[in-house]
Amino acid sequence: MHAANLANSKRLLRVRDFLKDGKWHSTMEIIRKAKVCAVSAITSELRANGLNIECERRGDRWYYRAA
């Protein structure tokens, strides 16, 4: 996978800014609030850019936060 550069990607910046509160957010919440799709791919790109993004499965839903 080729990760986008954080400084040049509005999509990555929106998700980073949304997650920086440190709270857990569901995939659907991230999609709606940050206006993105493919949350798991975006979080992988954020990790490739040096951010610590945690994920956790709760039942059939995934949750993410910036640590």
Side-chain angles (χ1 to χ4, degrees):
M1 178 184 84
H2 176 72
N5 184 304
L6 180 62
N8 298 327
S9 174
K10 291 180 182 178
R11 172 180 57 95
L12 294 182
L13 290 169
R14 282 195 309 271
V15 174
R16 182 211 55 188
D17 291 346
F18 182 69
L19 292 177
K20 71 182 179 182
D21 66 1
K23 297 177 185 176
W24 289 102
H25 298 282
S26 71
T27 302
M28 190 54 66
E29 184 180 6
I30 296 166
I31 289 169
R32 288 181 179 148
K33 301 287 184 170
K35 296 179 173 58
V36 296
C37 356
V39 172
S40 62
I42 291 169
T43 56
S44 291
E45 289 182 84
L46 289 172
R47 290 182 188 113
N49 277 275
L51 278 74
N52 184 11
I53 306 295
E54 298 177 329
C55 69
E56 174 178 291
R57 186 174 181 172
R58 300 179 192 168
D60 63 345
R61 294 192 174 130
W62 288 92
Y63 291 81
Y64 299 86
R65 73 175 175 184

